[in-house]
Amino acid sequence: MNSKLLNDKHSSVQFAFPARTAWRVSLAGDFNNWDPKTMPMHKDANGVWHLNVALKPGRHEYRFIADGVWQDDPAAQERTANALGSENCVKTVTG
């Protein structure tokens, strides 16, 4: 298991992605080895997809996958270049 996930000191972090017409949205990041299948999200009545993830303090890179297409988080306050020529979103978890 990746050491960034469910460590002794972890915080519940909410991820949200607005995609009213999407059939399936998931979360992938450095905390799940970028696997788009292990963290499916759940859609609320307003068309926003949610998932709470236990993360240890630190900097975490992530993206959303909506109906098979990798997407940026429109609410991300920080982004960083990735090896694929696009950007990852960054969430910093404080202890």
Side-chain angles (χ1 to χ4, degrees):
M1 180 179 284
N2 192 314
S3 65
K4 287 191 174 189
L5 186 64
L6 293 175
N7 203 336
D8 290 341
K9 286 186 165 186
H10 61 276
S11 299
S12 181
V13 178
Q14 183 178 67
F15 289 86
F17 183 69
R20 182 177 297 277
T21 60
W23 289 96
R24 186 176 332 165
V25 176
S26 60
L27 173 66
D30 56 12
F31 41 81
N32 73 345
N33 294 315
W34 295 98
D35 187 337
K37 296 177 183 167
T38 63
M39 294 188 156
M41 300 179 76
H42 306 282
K43 188 176 181 179
D44 70 16
N46 296 317
V48 178
W49 296 76
H50 298 274
L51 185 66
N52 288 325
V53 180
L55 296 175
K56 77 174 190 174
R59 184 178 182 276
H60 302 278
E61 295 184 23
Y62 68 97
R63 294 191 78 195
F64 297 109
I65 303 92
D67 294 335
V69 179
W70 290 78
Q71 303 280 334
D72 292 329
D73 182 350
Q77 296 182 4
E78 184 182 349
R79 296 170 194 236
T80 188
N82 65 30
L84 302 173
S86 60
E87 293 183 319
N88 294 333
C89 301
V90 176
K91 190 173 290 266
T92 302
V93 178
T94 56

